[in-house]
Amino acid sequence: MESFEIKFDESLAYPVFHVKGYYSDHTGAQVAEKANQLLRGGKVRLIIDFTECFSINSPGIASLMDLGLIVTDDFKGRLILTGLNTLCLKVLNIAGIIPFIESTPTIPEAIKQLETK
Amino acid sequence: MSLEVDVTSDLQAPIKSFRIFALEQIIRDGSSSDILNTLEKQQQCEDDDECKLLFVHAIAAVKQRLNLTEKVNFSIDAEAFPQRFVAASVNERLEILFNLPAALIAPLSKWAPDLLEKESNPTVAATIIKIFARRWPKDRVNDITAKLLSESLSIRLAVLEVLIQISPKSLEKFLPKLLISDDPRIRALAIRGLIELDPDEAIAHLDFLLASPERHHKLAAIRNSFFFPFNCAREPILKFLALEKDPDLIEKAGCLFEVNADPEAPFRLADIAQNSLSQKAVLIQNILQNSLNIIQKTGILGDKFEVFQNDFQSRIIKKKVVAFVQEILSKWGMPELEADVELNAVVLQAVQRKDVREAFQQALIWEISDKIKDKIRQYLQPDKPEEVPSIEKNLSWDNLSNEERVRRIAAIDLPSQAENITLLESLSTSDNTPGDLRATAIRASIRLQIRTLGSICERLINSPDVNLASAALEYLGFFDPEKLFHLIGKFLQSPLPRLRMTALRVLQKLDPAQAISNLKAMFFSNNQIKKDNAFSLMVYFDFALIREMLCHFLESNNENKYLDAALCYFQANPDFDNLFILYKIQQNLLGDAAEKVQRVRIKTIEHLQNLGKIEASRISLLEEEFSEKWKKEQEKKKEAIPDYSVKKLFPELPSLISQSAVAILNEFSLRYGIMLPIIFSLGIALFLGMNFLGEGKKAPVKPKGEELLPVETSVSGLVNEVFERGCSAAIQTEKKGKFLVIAKHGEFSEIKPGEKYTFTILPMRKTPDGVIVAYLQKLEK
């Protein structure tokens, strides 16, 4: 299995997932599990930070799409992706994940966006 | 890329679903004044009612987010919701839905099917479906499914997106209609739904959509390929990369290999790069580099990445050497080149290299003629016999005869000395240089990457000296092929195989899809010379793109010479994906022919094992694996073809392979200005001398499916249905059964289902369910 690491940070205004390594279906499954707990607990505005993620593969893209649908459709929440490198940004655009899921360059910008919109 | 960039281009798209998609995104997230400006501008150009309504809501949503209008506050009482919703205006209903609190979605979902049934506005109906999709009452899924054939595109899109997630099986009976939708997003989504039901068919549909001439169709297919299991999308996307010319689409499709770690991808991408024009080659090289990066970064090869990378480099070099050897063997088959001084010198020089000698040595075990094998042995001998001339290296240039000069120039293969470059430039540019020496100098300049001869070669392609013209054409084809685009037809008409071959190589780079169509047409032509030509030209194509075609060809063309030539190509391009194709060919044959195929298969397995591409533990399982796969394929062939299959929905596609020679070549001749008979005669001389094809005996073959004699006949019957904008029609006759008649030029666009017509047709094939597939010759009321 490809290496990845997920760190979860609740110290900011909104929960942030820091993804390191390769975002595959395995990574997506772990993020989704924790995100579902948060959503059910009423935290419906989430941030996933990809600053240390070098790539998102096809199953990873599908799992992000699923998570986006759960957050926005089922919980009327917001999901923002941050720190995407050029490749990730490009591929998420081609697949139509962005703009379906919002993205900002940095976490502070995502927080600002979640507070203002 | 930002939301603004995407929506601006999608809002202007001619395809309605792209505009709907963009508007829905804006309603959901749009919040900038730039988007608002774009919307207000594009709203004026919109002429579709559904999109017009969406524009109104999109503008309202963005204004609200920009605080230009007051936010509407809703307090919704769950029990009073249905009454309030029904009584509200269209705009209010949308506002209610978009602002519904998450906590209310589950309790309100019980009302959703009834609200959907009563809803008359398509935009609101689509929104109801999307908002309540995941909480939709299980016993009312049929209420959504029934909307799949709604007149409203927004509704169809919403239903498809939802059913793919919650109930893909319920899509099955609707798929045949959805898969032939004119809208690429509907088709692409239907293909995504199909992958849950029948992955093989989904791949075939993805492949078909990628081959569409419409850019938006290709774009939709690329977008959806990221939601396919990677193993299902890789082959169609690789094929697409090999054939596509649009740089933006190439870049987008290539991303699939930049994010999915696949150790086989770099090899295929390298082949594609090698067969591409320089601009495309650069794009593919970038994709290749990124595919290597992702393999390294994911660590899927453990600590063996460096070994892999070295192996990759050496295999790429080896493949080039094998391609060189294949080309030489093909040239040795041409009578006019058999004793060519330059060709002999090139080979003599090349066999100095260990890797070239090894490749020739390897070729001795290919299924090639004894005559060619003898010639290889002559060049591999340490003391060459008299018929192989040697290169004079001791005499000074001035004391050499013209023939010896040709040999010496042909032998230059590295820019090791600056004087070589000066000499080649001087020989190539001087009109006093004898023609054969000048041609040799120009070809040597290609090898040495001397790029200064463009303008002189532009002049020389019109030279009456065909050898010189051929060299100039080769030069321009290598360094500046775009300049030849409008001239290619002329060179394809040349009586000389060498010139024609060069022209086809250029075409292969200029327009690979057209070149492959041309090759297909030649393969499945009823004319034996055309078939023979196809074999000799295959050397210039990426083998991965044509091996399936070769397999189909061998199913109905079982002469030994074709089998031997095909096996030679399989041996020259050893690849894991060859194995099952060889297995299938073998199953179709008996006796010696079957054994011959098996030998090649075994040799390929051994070769792949030596390369570390198959583990020893898997080899013993391969036979069983292929046997199972083959049995399944046979069983599937016996079953009725599903209504959603590509074959059934686009029947002209597979049968086109065998019968479209004229259609394809008509198009080809229009584009490149060549007369058909001339194309058909391409490379006759080349083939006649191609000894490695061997004798014309037939290999024993197992019984196969029913094909019909293409004899013109007349039938009268009722038109049941017209497909693909008048390109084909289902006909029911009283006595002769059902026909699927294909009209090459859309002649059926004016005919009406239910009316009787008389058709003059050329029958081609009877499908397993008894439908006769035929080509239209004449139509009468």
Side-chain angles (χ1 to χ4, degrees):
Chain A
M1 193 194 298
E2 304 82 14
S3 59
F4 69 91
E5 196 182 323
I6 301 164
K7 279 184 188 162
F8 178 58
D9 181 6
E10 271 192 299
S11 66
L12 299 168
Y14 302 100
V16 180
F17 294 88
H18 295 275
V19 181
K20 188 177 177 182
Y22 197 33
Y23 198 97
S24 65
D25 47 346
H26 305 294
T27 329
Q30 286 197 16
V31 170
E33 192 184 340
K34 180 69 183 170
N36 272 312
Q37 286 173 18
L38 292 166
L39 291 165
R40 282 194 290 270
K43 293 184 176 170
V44 297
R45 294 182 170 211
L46 310 175
I47 296 168
I48 306 180
D49 180 50
F50 288 85
T51 305
E52 291 186 83
C53 168
F54 58 82
S55 187
I56 307 169
N57 71 359
S58 293
I61 290 168
S63 71
L64 262 182
M65 183 69 153
D66 285 343
L67 183 60
L69 285 167
I70 291 168
V71 173
T72 55
D73 287 357
D74 293 5
F75 291 92
K76 291 282 177 184
R78 301 263 303 275
L79 175 64
I80 299 189
L81 313 180
T82 65
L84 291 160
N85 64 24
T86 317
L87 176 64
C88 292
L89 203 55
K90 188 164 102 179
V91 80
L92 291 178
N93 265 292
I94 295 167
I97 304 286
I98 294 172
F100 167 70
I101 300 175
E102 298 164 78
S103 77
T104 62
T106 64
I107 295 173
E109 284 166 283
I111 291 172
K112 195 177 162 194
Q113 196 155 314
L114 286 173
E115 281 168 352
T116 53
K117 265 169 77 175
Chain B
M1 275 182 275
S2 64
L3 173 65
E4 282 83 350
V5 173
D6 272 339
V7 295
T8 305
S9 85
D10 281 357
L11 284 178
Q12 293 166 352
I15 308 280
K16 184 177 163 185
S17 65
F18 279 68
R19 303 203 298 280
I20 290 179
F21 183 72
L23 287 162
E24 285 175 347
Q25 299 302 328
I26 294 169
I27 290 171
R28 190 190 286 265
D29 286 317
S31 60
S32 78
S33 48
D34 283 347
I35 285 185
L36 185 59
N37 290 338
T38 308
L39 281 171
E40 286 173 338
K41 194 174 151 200
Q42 285 304 124
Q43 189 184 27
Q44 308 304 317
C45 314
E46 185 58 64
D47 56 3
D48 178 84
D49 288 342
E50 271 188 275
C51 290
K52 275 183 186 169
L53 186 61
L54 282 171
F55 263 104
V56 172
H57 294 295
I59 289 170
V62 177
K63 277 186 175 170
Q64 200 177 81
R65 290 196 194 104
L66 290 170
N67 296 322
L68 300 177
T69 54
E70 274 186 36
K71 188 172 170 63
V72 186
N73 286 316
F74 292 95
S75 57
I76 294 167
D77 170 8
E79 287 311 307
F81 173 74
Q83 290 78 13
R84 180 170 175 199
F85 190 81
V86 172
S89 68
V90 169
N91 285 346
E92 284 170 343
R93 294 206 292 281
L94 280 173
E95 286 299 314
I96 291 170
L97 290 169
F98 286 131
N99 292 288
L100 215 51
L104 279 180
I105 290 176
L108 294 180
S109 61
K110 62 184 174 189
W111 308 109
D114 291 332
L115 293 178
L116 177 65
E117 204 173 314
K118 287 176 192 159
E119 185 55 61
S120 56
N121 182 284
T123 310
V124 180
T127 314
I128 292 173
I129 293 165
K130 284 187 174 179
I131 297 277
F132 293 104
R134 287 164 182 274
R135 308 282 176 181
W136 202 268
K138 286 198 167 42
D139 57 340
R140 303 287 300 269
V141 171
N142 283 346
D143 292 285
I144 310 183
T145 317
K147 300 275 179 194
L148 260 175
L149 301 179
S150 159
E151 280 185 15
S152 156
L153 182 61
S154 312
I155 294 179
R156 294 206 302 276
L157 282 168
V159 174
L160 251 180
E161 280 175 16
V162 164
L163 287 181
I164 287 168
Q165 295 165 44
I166 65 169
S167 178
K169 287 212 162 175
S170 61
L171 283 172
E172 186 169 352
K173 68 176 176 179
F174 297 93
L175 282 171
K177 282 217 180 261
L178 297 168
L179 287 164
I180 56 167
S181 167
D182 282 341
D183 189 287
R185 275 196 75 212
I186 290 277
R187 270 175 74 179
L189 283 168
I191 295 170
R192 254 170 77 188
L194 181 59
I195 199 144
E196 299 288 328
L197 300 168
D198 191 337
D200 289 343
E201 274 303 328
I203 294 168
H205 275 283
L206 181 70
D207 195 38
F208 191 70
L209 196 57
L210 284 166
S212 160
E214 303 291 335
R215 191 175 190 279
H216 278 90
H217 285 220
K218 294 176 185 175
L219 205 52
I222 293 169
R223 176 168 285 179
N224 276 273
S225 67
F226 287 91
F227 296 98
F228 266 59
F230 174 68
N231 283 340
C232 296
R234 73 185 290 279
E235 235 7 86
I237 293 290
L238 279 169
K239 188 174 154 195
F240 176 78
L241 290 174
L243 302 179
E244 184 55 46
K245 290 182 285 182
D246 181 326
D248 180 53
L249 294 179
I250 290 170
E251 211 179 318
K252 284 187 161 83
C255 274
L256 194 74
F257 298 98
E258 296 177 14
V259 296
N260 289 287
D262 172 12
E264 282 306 308
F267 295 95
R268 296 286 298 278
L269 290 166
D271 286 345
I272 296 170
Q274 195 177 340
N275 287 321
S276 303
L277 289 178
S278 54
Q279 190 196 359
K280 179 176 169 183
V282 170
L283 285 175
I284 302 288
Q285 287 288 358
N286 281 341
I287 297 167
L288 192 161
Q289 187 53 53
N290 289 335
S291 76
L292 286 169
N293 290 346
I294 196 73
I295 293 167
Q296 183 180 24
K297 282 181 181 172
T298 53
I300 56 162
L301 297 175
D303 57 0
K304 290 182 181 159
F305 179 74
E306 210 170 309
V307 177
F308 168 81
Q309 207 171 14
N310 292 338
D311 176 49
F312 169 68
Q313 299 294 352
S314 62
R315 275 170 59 192
I316 293 302
I317 294 167
K318 196 171 175 190
K319 201 156 185 183
K320 279 184 186 170
V321 173
V322 172
F324 167 79
V325 168
Q326 259 189 304
E327 190 180 355
I328 296 296
L329 300 190
S330 144
K331 284 182 176 171
W332 278 347
M334 294 183 194
E336 72 186 60
L337 292 178
E338 209 171 357
D340 187 81
V341 175
E342 182 188 348
L343 181 62
N344 283 334
V346 166
V347 180
L348 270 179
Q349 182 63 23
V351 293
Q352 310 290 317
R353 282 171 53 181
K354 190 175 166 235
D355 53 356
V356 175
R357 292 179 68 81
E358 283 172 356
F360 271 115
Q361 199 74 48
Q362 185 72 21
L364 286 171
I365 60 164
W366 295 352
E367 302 291 333
I368 53 178
S369 75
D370 288 341
K371 190 179 170 190
I372 296 283
K373 282 185 182 176
D374 285 344
K375 193 147 190 173
I376 293 175
R377 287 191 192 101
Q378 282 174 13
Y379 278 95
L380 291 179
Q381 277 175 22
D383 299 316
K384 291 170 195 67
E386 276 179 17
E387 52 267 41
V388 179
S390 57
I391 298 169
E392 178 54 69
K393 289 182 177 168
N394 298 325
L395 292 175
S396 69
W397 179 260
D398 291 342
N399 295 329
L400 292 175
S401 68
N402 187 58
E403 197 170 296
E404 281 161 348
R405 285 179 178 181
V406 169
R407 281 195 201 109
R408 188 174 289 182
I409 295 299
I412 300 174
D413 65 351
L414 284 173
S416 51
Q417 295 164 315
E419 66 254 32
N420 281 344
I421 295 173
T422 316
L423 176 64
L424 290 176
E425 280 182 328
S426 142
L427 290 171
S428 304
T429 50
S430 168
D431 287 341
N432 295 325
T433 310
D436 54 349
L437 180 59
R438 197 174 186 186
T440 308
I442 291 172
R443 276 190 273 269
S445 300
I446 300 172
R447 292 197 297 279
L448 268 64
Q449 300 274 317
I450 299 171
R451 294 168 181 269
T452 51
L453 307 175
S455 50
I456 192 88
C457 284
E458 274 184 68
R459 182 163 65 82
L460 291 176
I461 52 172
N462 296 314
S463 165
D465 180 336
V466 284
N467 188 17
L468 194 51
S470 168
L473 183 64
E474 220 171 292
Y475 185 93
L476 290 174
F478 195 85
F479 291 118
D480 207 354
E482 285 90 348
K483 279 203 172 134
L484 297 173
F485 197 85
H486 298 293
L487 298 168
I488 202 91
K490 178 188 155 189
F491 293 105
L492 286 166
Q493 292 179 56
S494 164
L496 270 181
R498 192 168 192 171
L499 213 50
R500 290 196 304 272
M501 274 174 64
T502 310
L504 253 145
R505 286 166 73 182
V506 175
L507 179 68
Q508 207 275 332
K509 289 192 174 190
L510 278 174
D511 193 344
Q514 192 58 57
I516 286 191
S517 293
N518 185 34
L519 188 73
K520 252 185 202 174
M522 293 169 86
F523 258 122
F524 292 94
S525 150
N526 290 327
N527 181 321
Q528 189 169 333
I529 293 170
K530 287 175 225 160
K531 289 178 190 175
D532 296 348
N533 289 340
F535 269 96
S536 61
L537 294 168
M538 265 173 61
V539 70
Y540 300 113
F541 289 81
D542 179 357
F543 187 65
L545 291 178
I546 51 177
R547 60 186 164 203
E548 275 287 350
M549 184 168 74
L550 198 54
C551 178
H552 291 310
F553 172 82
L554 291 173
E555 280 172 12
S556 50
N557 295 273
N558 49 320
E559 285 95 339
N560 274 330
K561 63 172 182 179
Y562 292 138
L563 182 63
D564 288 352
L567 292 178
C568 174
Y569 279 102
F570 277 102
Q571 286 174 295
N573 299 279
D575 184 80
F576 185 83
D577 291 338
N578 286 356
L579 295 176
F580 184 59
I581 295 175
L582 285 167
Y583 185 89
K584 285 200 289 188
I585 296 171
Q586 187 185 335
Q587 299 310 308
N588 198 37
L589 299 167
L590 294 168
D592 286 350
E595 278 174 26
K596 203 184 275 182
V597 182
Q598 187 172 19
R599 274 202 305 276
V600 172
R601 202 156 58 83
I602 290 167
K603 278 178 198 165
T604 309
I605 292 173
E606 285 167 3
H607 184 76
L608 293 171
Q609 194 187 2
N610 291 338
L611 290 174
K613 290 183 84 178
I614 307 184
E615 287 175 17
S617 56
R618 195 171 170 202
I619 294 172
S620 58
L621 304 173
L622 276 179
E623 209 61 21
E624 203 179 326
E625 195 181 301
F626 291 155
S627 159
E628 283 291 306
K629 199 173 165 184
W630 189 74
K631 274 181 202 157
K632 271 187 192 164
E633 275 192 8
Q634 298 311 302
E635 280 162 19
K636 213 173 173 181
K637 277 182 188 170
K638 285 177 201 160
E639 290 168 8
I641 302 172
D643 289 340
Y644 53 70
S645 73
V646 173
K647 272 186 186 169
K648 210 155 191 173
L649 295 174
F650 305 98
E652 68 272 36
L653 175 72
S655 51
L656 260 182
I657 292 170
S658 54
Q659 287 94 36
S660 71
V662 175
I664 290 168
L665 288 174
N666 268 338
E667 186 197 337
F668 188 72
S669 62
L670 280 175
R671 290 176 69 168
Y672 299 106
I674 325 160
M675 286 156 56
L676 286 182
I678 291 163
I679 304 180
F680 282 151
S681 67
L682 272 178
I684 294 171
L686 161 70
F687 172 71
L688 289 176
M690 241 180 114
N691 297 329
F692 74 85
L693 290 180
E695 296 157 34
K697 289 177 192 163
K698 287 199 169 192
V701 67
K702 290 179 184 172
K704 53 185 170 49
E706 188 174 1
E707 284 190 19
L708 303 172
L709 279 176
V711 178
E712 205 168 89
T713 182
S714 180
V715 291
S716 294
L718 286 175
V719 175
N720 281 345
E721 206 169 345
V722 177
F723 310 102
E724 287 292 289
R725 299 185 202 92
C727 285
S728 58
I731 314 296
Q732 177 72 55
T733 63
E734 276 182 26
K735 291 180 182 169
K736 294 180 179 173
K738 287 180 184 172
F739 287 76
L740 185 89
V741 183
I742 295 159
K744 292 193 287 282
H745 306 294
E747 289 93 331
F748 295 144
S749 55
E750 299 295 319
I751 68 170
K752 290 172 189 161
E755 292 194 357
K756 195 173 179 181
Y757 292 84
T758 301
F759 308 84
T760 306
I761 53 167
L762 207 58
M764 290 299 172
R765 175 179 301 178
K766 198 175 206 174
T767 65
D769 43 353
V771 178
I772 295 171
V773 181
Y775 273 73
L776 180 72
Q777 303 296 304
K778 195 175 163 192
L779 171 68
E780 289 167 278
K781 177 80 176 137

